[in-house]
Amino acid sequence: MKLEDRAKLHRQMLVIRRAEERLQKLFSDGHVPGFLHLSIGQEAVPVGVSQALTERDTVSSNHRGHGHTLAKGVDLKGFFAEILGKATGLCKGRGGSMHVADLSKGMLGANGIVGAGLPITTGSALALKMQGQGHVAVVYFGDGALAEGVLHECLNLAALWKLPILFVCENNGWSEFSPTERQLATSLDKLAKAFGIQYSAVDGNVVAEVAAASTRLVKAMRKTPAPAILECSTTRVRGHFEGDRQDYRDGDEIASLSERDPIRLSASAMAKAGGTPEMLAEIADAVDAEIEAATQAALEAPLPSSADILADVYTKVAG
Amino acid sequence: MAEIRYIKAVNQALADAMEADPTVFLIGEDIGAAGGSFKATRDLLEKFGPERVYDSPISEAAITGMAVGAALTGMRPVVEIMFMDFTTLSMDMLVNQAAKARSMFGGQGSVPMVLRTPHGGGLNAGPQHSQCLEAWFAHVPGLRVVCPSNPADAYGLLRAAIDDPDPVIVVENKALYAMKGDLPDDREPIEIGKGRIVRPGRDATVVSYGAAVAMAETAAETMAEEGIEVEVIDLRSIQPWDEDLVLESLTRTHNLVVAHEAVEAFGVGAEIVARMADIGFDQLDGPILRVGAPFAPSPFGKTLEDAYRPDASRIVAALRRTLA
């Protein structure tokens, strides 16, 4: 991979990281209503996948979806405003962290129900196949979703009908507060085999690996529609949600995760490819400025009006 | 004007909608080669091909969710769920996804999907193939629910549902599938949210929908023999329901009975009664009564099911009580 491409991906990962770190701070300062699930440590997956996508390709996401959303190119200011529940948010403050969507960018929504993105994305893939423009659909889900019934229905349907869908499993080893090994009697590679779906596994913290696999799989399915599974082993650094003290985890295990930090790995890969410390500092400064501007805009934005409580429930008022 | 069976009217509406709009497609179990369990989709696979008519595996949750995703990607899917009882398997996709997408995404888009499914007893189909669950869906903001009582409405309401930009549950009635009736030549959609006075009357109003409309008409005939003129309203649409029409009728008749095939407790009738007790209170000359199924699962055996299902005699009894 060329240095400038590496720099681009590095920058996108850093946007996600800094955005979430800023949200973490805003949350502890009481600016974020509700729940907040952070994907710190998992940034390489959506960035690696999204570089293979266009705006017309669709993605859907889960409760830990900030990275998926930002990597699909949604507006950073609208994103921050949404999570702060402001009227200027992408969803006018009605969705929040678990429901950020930007249909104009093919981002069909984060989701509060584990596994729910799977059928929605499978249907999107069917629509894209019918439309015949070579677009693809991507669904992000965690290893916790592997125990959901709809996963099996969707793997079957996608294989049966040769739908252009990339199933991206972010395997961070945790189903909420429980290790997945205590939750699942099988594994995704075995499921892939059972349904006859092409399966690839990558180190989900190495962005170049995710990018290379995604590019290969997406390119193939644009040409000949068929599903593929990409399992990305990755690391959930924070708790299930902000405020989760992670008492169920070994402190050494959490500390060891920094060795696999995708951004640290990306920085050292850039250095090996000729990147300079100045280059990295320049990226970091630009990202920080962008995050700060989005944060300030969100903090200053108005709250939604209570007069709008019935707005958008239906497209038109019937009867 | 052509005479047509209810099931054929559904079929005609699907065919006309698919003809009119290439983004309309069908998905469901055995709807293609087999033409549907009740033959609602007969010949549509031959006519429109496998890329418009998808014979799906037995995966109700997935196909309902796929309709949500396809609708968000520019298509107008029509899902068939073979029996309304099986919509329990589709619930997350309907309640958490389809119903909420527009609102929770801030009005960015809509979910123009239709889910067709038959409710109702009378076929001795037993507790898991007879339920009338429309009240569940009517309770969820973001969904619309219609329930045609005759072939012409089965056509017009389905066309309106497919045209509608939001998710619509079309509740058909399997005991009515063989019913014959006239289909107007213009084959226009019927506006969702508008009810219809089926039979005018001055002494009492019966509000009904689905199979209960014919029961109410029979009850009205019985009462007419005694010189009591009963007005029968077919709601056609349950969410939203035509509150103005019911209130207007009540201001003329001053007595109200609500009849449906579904279990009476916590049902559609309860909502109508509560609203009329509020906005129509001054108009009431008697208690507002409900006629519905008892609070028990729909039984299988013939004597049991016959006793379980509401009928005209129970509507007559309710009318006598409110008029007493």
Side-chain angles (χ1 to χ4, degrees):
Chain A
M1 195 182 278
K2 283 189 288 185
L3 180 61
E4 62 181 90
D5 292 330
R6 283 187 189 276
K8 211 171 136 192
L9 299 184
H10 184 83
R11 185 186 198 286
Q12 287 177 1
M13 289 199 292
L14 204 58
V15 167
I16 299 169
R17 172 68 56 89
R18 293 281 185 265
E20 288 202 313
E21 286 172 345
R22 195 69 184 82
L23 287 173
Q24 196 182 335
K25 174 82 168 57
L26 288 164
F27 182 86
S28 59
D29 291 347
H31 292 293
V32 180
F35 302 120
L36 193 66
H37 304 85
L38 298 179
S39 63
I40 289 173
Q42 303 187 171
E43 296 87 346
V45 178
V47 168
V49 170
S50 291
Q51 58 78 41
L53 305 179
T54 72
E55 228 170 63
R56 295 289 309 282
D57 298 316
T58 57
V59 304
S60 82
S61 164
N62 56 11
H63 57 287
R64 205 175 301 289
H66 301 153
H68 312 143
T69 305
L70 292 173
K72 194 66 171 61
V74 312
D75 176 60
L76 193 63
K77 285 187 170 144
F79 170 84
F80 264 87
E82 184 57 35
I83 291 174
L84 268 60
K86 297 299 184 81
T88 54
L90 283 164
C91 307
K92 300 181 187 164
R94 288 202 210 108
S97 166
M98 270 190 283
H99 306 288
V100 182
D102 186 345
L103 300 182
S104 71
K105 304 279 186 193
M107 169 47 186
L108 305 184
N111 215 303
I113 309 292
V114 171
L118 288 154
I120 292 170
T121 317
T122 306
S124 185
L126 175 65
L128 294 172
K129 186 177 179 180
M130 290 173 79
Q131 291 158 6
Q133 303 291 308
H135 300 301
V136 306
V138 175
V139 55
Y140 296 100
F141 56 102
D143 41 320
L146 296 175
E148 288 281 5
V150 285
L151 174 91
H152 303 263
E153 293 186 19
C154 290
L155 291 178
N156 181 50
L157 270 152
L160 204 60
W161 292 354
K162 298 188 169 48
L163 301 180
I165 176 170
L166 183 61
F167 293 94
V168 180
C169 178
E170 295 173 313
N171 189 339
N172 63 25
W174 289 94
S175 298
E176 203 179 69
F177 313 133
S178 300
T180 300
E181 66 208 24
R182 281 207 329 247
Q183 307 261 318
L184 195 71
T186 184
S187 55
L188 190 50
D189 59 323
K190 287 182 187 153
L191 290 174
K193 204 172 168 191
F195 287 105
I197 297 177
Q198 184 182 357
Y199 169 88
S200 306
V202 293
D203 183 334
N205 285 20
V206 178
V207 70
E209 264 196 49
V210 180
S214 303
T215 300
R216 173 172 55 82
L217 296 170
V218 166
K219 200 174 161 192
M221 79 177 69
R222 284 194 203 287
K223 212 170 140 203
T224 312
I229 294 172
L230 180 62
E231 182 165 12
C232 305
S233 61
T234 186
T235 48
R236 191 188 88 193
V237 174
R238 303 291 301 171
H240 170 59
F241 53 79
E242 277 312 278
D244 168 12
R245 290 171 47 203
Q246 303 207 79
D247 293 337
Y248 50 89
R249 267 176 107 170
D250 183 56
D252 292 342
E253 186 236 342
I254 300 175
S256 75
L257 298 180
S258 67
E259 288 163 28
R260 283 189 68 204
D261 183 299
I263 289 169
R264 189 196 268 195
L265 294 175
S266 160
S268 66
M270 276 180 68
K272 273 188 203 147
T276 60
E278 291 74 25
M279 188 185 231
L280 284 166
E282 207 175 292
I283 292 172
D285 289 347
V287 167
D288 287 343
E290 212 181 315
I291 298 296
E292 201 43 41
T295 304
Q296 286 313 317
L299 285 170
E300 288 159 19
L303 291 163
S305 163
S306 58
D308 288 338
I309 210 155
L310 293 178
D312 297 322
V313 177
Y314 296 97
T315 306
K316 54 182 185 186
V317 179
Chain B
M1 200 83 95
E3 195 182 54
I4 189 170
R5 286 192 194 274
Y6 190 116
I7 192 76
K8 178 63 187 161
V10 172
N11 182 277
Q12 188 70 54
L14 293 171
D16 288 355
M18 291 176 83
E19 200 77 65
D21 182 349
T23 67
V24 175
F25 74 94
L26 313 182
I27 183 167
E29 295 157 10
D30 279 325
I31 64 161
S37 282
F38 294 99
K39 306 296 173 200
T41 50
R42 189 197 292 266
D43 297 335
L44 297 181
L45 174 65
E46 289 75 4
K47 196 162 179 201
F48 295 99
E51 286 173 1
R52 304 278 302 279
V53 180
Y54 291 91
D55 251 332
S56 83
I58 303 174
S59 301
E60 289 83 3
I63 61 174
T64 308
M66 286 177 71
V68 180
L72 286 170
T73 312
M75 306 303 281
R76 287 185 177 265
V78 181
V79 186
E80 176 177 300
I81 298 293
M82 201 182 290
F83 288 85
M84 190 169 210
D85 315 71
F86 307 168
T87 61
T88 51
L89 295 155
S90 309
M91 273 301 188
D92 173 47
M93 290 299 142
L94 291 171
V95 176
N96 287 320
Q97 313 299 333
K100 292 175 175 52
R102 180 172 177 78
S103 166
M104 78 181 167
F105 299 161
Q108 286 182 55
S110 59
V111 183
M113 67 174 279
V114 169
L115 185 141
R116 298 178 34 247
T117 191
H119 76 173
L123 274 68
N124 301 106
Q128 296 173 345
H129 289 73
S130 306
Q131 291 171 88
C132 298
L133 302 173
E134 54 276 8
W136 290 2
F137 298 101
H139 190 65
V140 178
L143 298 180
R144 296 201 188 286
V145 184
V146 299
C147 190
S149 68
N150 61 71
D153 286 8
Y155 181 91
L157 288 169
L158 181 51
R159 287 301 303 271
I162 295 171
D163 287 348
D164 198 279
D166 296 314
V168 183
I169 314 294
V170 178
V171 184
E172 298 164 4
N173 189 298
K174 48 192 176 290
L176 299 182
Y177 274 152
M179 177 187 191
K180 284 184 184 168
D182 287 330
L183 182 64
D185 292 331
D186 59 9
R187 308 215 297 251
E188 289 290 322
I190 292 170
E191 189 181 344
I192 294 175
K194 294 285 185 211
R196 183 173 76 100
I197 296 173
V198 176
R199 177 189 175 112
R202 56 167 194 270
D203 299 320
T205 300
V206 179
V207 173
S208 59
Y209 62 87
V213 173
M215 298 172 197
E217 287 183 273
T218 306
E221 275 162 36
T222 304
M223 298 301 280
E225 288 163 15
E226 300 168 21
I228 296 165
E229 294 301 325
V230 174
E231 180 147 299
V232 177
I233 290 178
D234 179 354
L235 281 182
R236 291 175 150 176
S237 178
I238 294 168
Q239 180 57 267
W241 60 281
D242 198 340
E243 193 177 282
D244 293 345
L245 181 71
V246 175
L247 181 62
E248 187 276 328
S249 178
L250 182 63
T251 58
R252 286 184 285 106
T253 65
H254 308 291
N255 287 285
L256 182 61
V257 170
V258 184
H260 53 55
E261 196 182 336
V263 168
E264 185 180 305
F266 295 88
V268 172
E271 173 67 16
I272 294 168
V273 169
R275 280 300 288 162
M276 288 304 131
D278 176 355
I279 60 176
F281 186 74
D282 294 339
Q283 301 296 331
L284 290 166
D285 283 350
I288 320 176
L289 298 179
R290 288 175 290 163
V291 175
F295 199 61
S298 180
F300 156 67
K302 184 146 177 36
T303 51
L304 287 168
E305 194 189 45
D306 288 350
Y308 177 85
R309 292 186 81 208
D311 59 14
S313 70
R314 284 168 59 190
I315 298 172
V316 167
L319 283 164
R320 290 197 206 287
R321 221 185 110 201
T322 191
L323 287 163

